[in-house]
Short mmCIF file of all heavy atoms in Angstrom, two decimals:
data_model
loop_
_atom_site.label_atom_id
_atom_site.label_comp_id
_atom_site.label_asym_id
_atom_site.label_seq_id
_atom_site.Cartn_x
_atom_site.Cartn_y
_atom_site.Cartn_z
N GLY P 149 -13.94 -228.40 18.64
CA GLY P 149 -14.08 -228.13 20.15
C GLY P 149 -12.90 -227.49 20.67
O GLY P 149 -12.74 -227.33 22.02
N LEU P 150 -12.14 -226.84 19.94
CA LEU P 150 -10.91 -226.17 20.48
C LEU P 150 -11.24 -224.78 20.76
O LEU P 150 -10.55 -224.09 21.57
CB LEU P 150 -9.77 -226.24 19.43
CG LEU P 150 -9.30 -227.63 19.24
CD1 LEU P 150 -8.43 -227.67 17.91
CD2 LEU P 150 -8.55 -228.17 20.43
N PHE P 151 -12.22 -224.20 20.09
CA PHE P 151 -12.74 -222.74 20.43
C PHE P 151 -14.10 -222.87 21.04
O PHE P 151 -14.87 -223.78 20.70
CB PHE P 151 -12.80 -221.94 19.09
CG PHE P 151 -11.40 -221.70 18.56
CD1 PHE P 151 -11.35 -221.25 17.20
CD2 PHE P 151 -10.21 -221.81 19.23
CE1 PHE P 151 -10.06 -221.03 16.59
CE2 PHE P 151 -9.04 -221.44 18.74
CZ PHE P 151 -8.91 -221.08 17.25
N ARG P 152 -14.41 -221.94 21.78
CA ARG P 152 -15.75 -221.78 22.35
C ARG P 152 -16.71 -221.49 21.19
O ARG P 152 -16.37 -220.89 20.29
CB ARG P 152 -15.77 -220.91 23.53
CG ARG P 152 -14.90 -221.32 24.72
CD ARG P 152 -15.18 -220.65 25.95
NE ARG P 152 -14.79 -219.15 25.85
CZ ARG P 152 -15.62 -218.18 26.16
NH1 ARG P 152 -16.83 -218.38 26.59
NH2 ARG P 152 -15.13 -216.91 26.09
N PRO P 153 -18.00 -221.67 21.45
CA PRO P 153 -18.80 -221.65 20.38
C PRO P 153 -19.25 -220.10 19.94
O PRO P 153 -20.38 -219.78 20.13
CB PRO P 153 -20.09 -222.43 20.75
CG PRO P 153 -20.01 -222.30 22.22
CD PRO P 153 -18.60 -222.35 22.56
N PHE P 154 -18.32 -219.38 19.41
CA PHE P 154 -18.55 -218.01 19.02
C PHE P 154 -19.13 -218.16 17.53
O PHE P 154 -18.90 -218.94 16.87
CB PHE P 154 -17.32 -217.11 18.92
CG PHE P 154 -16.87 -216.62 20.36
CD1 PHE P 154 -15.75 -217.23 21.05
CD2 PHE P 154 -17.67 -215.67 21.02
CE1 PHE P 154 -15.57 -216.76 22.36
CE2 PHE P 154 -17.32 -215.23 22.17
CZ PHE P 154 -16.19 -215.71 22.88
N ASP P 155 -19.86 -216.98 17.30
CA ASP P 155 -20.30 -216.83 15.87
C ASP P 155 -19.08 -216.62 15.04
O ASP P 155 -18.37 -215.48 15.22
CB ASP P 155 -21.31 -215.74 15.74
CG ASP P 155 -21.63 -215.45 14.35
OD1 ASP P 155 -22.50 -216.17 13.79
OD2 ASP P 155 -21.06 -214.56 13.66
N PRO P 156 -18.67 -217.41 14.11
CA PRO P 156 -17.42 -217.27 13.32
C PRO P 156 -17.33 -215.90 12.65
O PRO P 156 -16.31 -215.22 12.66
CB PRO P 156 -17.51 -218.40 12.28
CG PRO P 156 -18.38 -219.44 12.88
CD PRO P 156 -19.47 -218.64 13.70
N GLN P 157 -18.40 -215.60 11.89
CA GLN P 157 -18.43 -214.34 11.15
C GLN P 157 -18.16 -213.12 12.01
O GLN P 157 -17.33 -212.30 11.71
CB GLN P 157 -19.71 -214.21 10.34
CG GLN P 157 -19.79 -213.14 9.19
CD GLN P 157 -18.78 -213.51 8.11
OE1 GLN P 157 -18.53 -214.79 7.89
NE2 GLN P 157 -18.06 -212.64 7.54
N ARG P 158 -18.89 -213.03 13.03
CA ARG P 158 -18.80 -211.83 13.86
C ARG P 158 -17.41 -211.81 14.64
O ARG P 158 -16.83 -210.83 14.80
CB ARG P 158 -19.86 -211.86 14.89
CG ARG P 158 -20.26 -210.45 15.34
CD ARG P 158 -21.82 -210.38 15.57
NE ARG P 158 -22.31 -211.28 16.57
CZ ARG P 158 -23.62 -211.80 16.49
NH1 ARG P 158 -24.34 -211.36 15.53
NH2 ARG P 158 -23.91 -212.67 17.31
N THR P 159 -17.05 -212.87 15.01
CA THR P 159 -15.67 -212.94 15.59
C THR P 159 -14.54 -212.62 14.77
O THR P 159 -13.61 -211.98 15.12
CB THR P 159 -15.45 -214.47 16.19
OG1 THR P 159 -16.60 -214.88 17.05
CG2 THR P 159 -14.30 -214.47 17.13
N ALA P 160 -14.71 -213.07 13.50
CA ALA P 160 -13.72 -212.75 12.54
C ALA P 160 -13.62 -211.14 12.39
O ALA P 160 -12.58 -210.65 12.21
CB ALA P 160 -14.06 -213.32 11.20
N GLN P 161 -14.83 -210.59 12.33
CA GLN P 161 -14.76 -209.13 12.22
C GLN P 161 -14.09 -208.52 13.40
O GLN P 161 -13.38 -207.48 13.24
CB GLN P 161 -16.29 -208.51 12.11
CG GLN P 161 -16.84 -208.81 10.81
CD GLN P 161 -18.37 -208.69 10.80
OE1 GLN P 161 -19.04 -208.47 12.01
NE2 GLN P 161 -19.02 -208.86 9.73
N LEU P 162 -14.42 -208.98 14.54
CA LEU P 162 -13.71 -208.41 15.68
C LEU P 162 -12.21 -208.60 15.66
O LEU P 162 -11.53 -207.52 15.94
CB LEU P 162 -14.26 -209.08 17.03
CG LEU P 162 -15.65 -208.76 17.45
CD1 LEU P 162 -16.16 -209.70 18.53
CD2 LEU P 162 -15.70 -207.37 17.98
#
Side-chain angles (χ1 to χ4, degrees):
Chain P
L150 295 167
F151 292 160
R152 294 195 296 129
F154 282 107
D155 175 80
Q157 197 60 38
R158 208 141 56 208
T159 308
Q161 284 164 358
L162 283 171

